[in-house]
Amino acid sequence: MPPKGKKVTKTEDTTNSLLAQTREGETVFAVCHIYASFNNTFVHVTDLSGKETLVRITGGMQVKADRDESSPYAAMQASQQVANRCKELGVGALHIKIRAMGGNRTKSHGPGGQSALRSLARAGIKIGRIEDVTPIPTDCTRRKGSRRGRRL
């Protein structure tokens, strides 16, 4: 325990943690998890193990209206901010894991998934592997709605 009366402050510089471990001219990889539902789009960058979050920005953080959270424009704005933050941290390349709702819901991506990926590539970030990690059930629980489906 520190002595009473003295304040101990901890300062950690996380911005250069990835740069200190690399050699000159070496490309630093990270993993970008893109979750594109029909209500929102998440762009989440972690280290290669997936334990430490480097940056996470959603489409809802970029626009005011709730109906625009999943739009391609909001996804583009979110991924441009992610790309800028990755460049500050020294990350030059990303492996992409794109995901939809999955399970017993829809297996197709929302409208912001492709535009988020495209704007990451246009921002100057190198793209490594692109993988679809949507959960596909082998046998699932009963889907929402009646036997005759949702009637409009």
Side-chain angles (χ1 to χ4, degrees):
M1 254 172 85
K4 291 185 179 178
K6 292 185 178 179
K7 292 185 178 180
V8 177
T9 59
K10 292 183 180 180
T11 58
E12 292 184 25
D13 189 17
T14 59
T15 57
N16 294 327
S17 63
L18 292 172
L19 292 175
Q21 300 167 358
T22 60
R23 290 189 286 273
E24 186 68 33
E26 190 173 310
T27 304
V28 178
F29 270 89
V31 181
C32 178
H33 306 269
I34 298 175
Y35 173 63
S37 70
F38 287 94
N39 291 324
N40 208 345
T41 303
F42 290 77
V43 184
H44 184 183
V45 177
T46 62
D47 59 348
L48 284 176
S49 66
K51 290 183 179 179
E52 184 179 349
T53 296
L54 302 178
V55 59
R56 181 185 70 233
I57 296 179
T58 66
M61 294 165 63
Q62 304 301 315
V63 292
K64 296 266 186 178
D66 291 339
R67 66 179 180 273
D68 294 334
E69 289 178 359
S70 65
S71 67
Y73 173 75
M76 280 174 48
Q77 296 296 319
S79 57
Q80 284 173 2
Q81 281 201 356
V82 164
N84 291 338
R85 182 70 177 138
C86 284
K87 287 178 184 175
E88 288 174 13
L89 293 172
V91 175
L94 292 173
H95 294 301
I96 307 291
K97 291 188 175 184
I98 190 163
R99 178 179 185 267
M101 300 250 305
N104 63 358
R105 297 199 206 102
T106 182
K107 279 88 176 162
S108 60
H109 308 293
Q114 295 296 323
S115 60
L117 174 59
R118 186 168 178 220
S119 70
L120 277 174
R122 289 191 59 152
I125 301 286
K126 294 178 185 170
I127 304 295
R129 302 202 167 169
I130 302 173
E131 185 180 359
D132 187 3
V133 292
T134 303
I136 307 289
T138 53
D139 191 13
C140 61
T141 57
R142 188 172 168 90
R143 194 177 174 110
K144 183 180 158 190
S146 66
R147 184 169 65 94
R148 289 172 32 190
R150 181 172 175 239
R151 291 175 294 283
L152 301 173

